[in-house]
Amino acid sequence: GVGKNIQVAVYDAGTLEYKYSIPWNQESGQVEVCGLAVDREHNRVWMADWVQGHELYCYDLTTKSYIGKVKLSPTPRLQQGIYCMDGQIVISCDDGDAEKNVADHLYIATVYNNDTLAENADVKLWREMTDFRRVGEIEGLTIDLTNNNLIVLANRGALIILGMPKGFYDGYDHEIHEIYIYKK
């Protein structure tokens, strides 16, 4: 539940050589990282925190510094992954319940007022993930920049309690990892 050595490490995309790191700001209140996304429009990096979950944290790639956080309202529970898109952030949340066959969700948070960080991000339900083969654990997400398709990673079969595997559901002897692709 508590991360150590949190940082944004930047590598050259062509050579994979390390370029620099932006250190985590302890005063931000962030205690771990469950998702990280690059905001190409604003040249920033955003991080989500599964443990606290009330805010998203923003770092500037130009100045290589922490610039602030945005409070999520309402706060989606159990965030897993994030993706920046058109001045908003898509958030995947493991907020369903596999025991009760309740699906996880995707949310959209508006994190900017014009081009400045919003104090509070308006969060709206974007999609209920009812079309997964079986309810499990939603994880990360991304957008394929070649065709704008949404790609979502989901796991099923493992019994997860407070983020830790505790065995398997009936009929499973291992966890299954699936990729779901949604056309724009």
Side-chain angles (χ1 to χ4, degrees), residues 8-28:
V8 176
V10 179
Y11 292 82
D12 182 284
T15 66
L16 298 181
E17 287 185 45
Y18 172 80
K19 291 172 76 175
Y20 62 88
S21 287
I22 302 171
W24 156 64
N25 183 304
Q26 288 184 291
E27 287 76 41
S28 69

Side-chain angles (χ1 to χ4, degrees), residues 2-183:
V2 177
K4 295 184 183 341
N5 195 28
I6 297 172
Q7 61 184 297
V8 176
V10 179
Y11 292 82
D12 182 284
T15 66
L16 298 181
E17 287 185 45
Y18 172 80
K19 291 172 76 175
Y20 62 88
S21 287
I22 302 171
W24 156 64
N25 183 304
Q26 288 184 291
E27 287 76 41
S28 69
Q30 179 182 10
V31 298
E32 72 92 55
V33 181
C34 64
L36 183 138
V38 177
D39 178 349
R40 291 170 182 85
E41 284 180 59
H42 298 92
N43 203 34
R44 294 175 176 162
V45 171
W46 287 86
M47 289 193 259
D49 179 337
W50 184 82
V51 175
Q52 302 288 358
H54 303 294
E55 289 115 359
L56 295 175
Y57 305 89
C58 188
Y59 292 79
D60 190 295
L61 290 168
T62 303
T63 63
K64 299 177 178 65
S65 63
Y66 172 73
I67 58 172
K69 60 187 173 184
V70 173
K71 182 170 176 32
L72 299 173
S73 181
T75 302
R77 297 180 316 106
L78 305 174
Q79 298 156 26
Q80 295 293 328
I82 58 175
Y83 186 85
C84 296
M85 170 178 85
D86 302 327
Q88 298 178 309
I89 296 182
V90 182
I91 306 168
S92 61
C93 292
D94 180 26
D95 57 353
D97 187 337
E99 297 282 325
K100 298 177 182 169
N101 202 34
V102 176
D104 293 333
H105 301 86
L106 296 181
Y107 298 88
I108 294 221
T110 303
V111 294
Y112 291 104
N113 286 331
N114 299 316
D115 278 335
T116 61
L117 294 186
E119 187 174 319
N120 293 299
D122 183 32
V123 178
K124 295 191 181 336
L125 175 64
W126 188 38
R127 191 172 199 294
E128 188 173 2
M129 307 310 285
T130 57
D131 52 356
F132 285 175
R133 186 170 288 167
R134 181 172 172 190
V135 171
E137 296 266 327
I138 196 170
E139 297 296 340
L141 74 158
T142 192
I143 302 287
D144 181 339
L145 296 177
T146 65
N147 58 22
N148 289 322
N149 288 344
L150 171 67
I151 301 170
V152 178
L153 170 63
N155 301 327
R156 63 182 165 94
L159 177 62
I160 309 293
I161 306 294
L162 295 175
M164 302 299 296
K166 301 289 184 186
F168 301 100
Y169 285 104
D170 287 340
Y172 292 90
D173 61 5
H174 66 283
E175 187 169 52
I176 296 173
H177 312 285
E178 298 174 314
I179 299 286
Y180 290 85
I181 300 172
Y182 301 91
K183 294 194 182 285

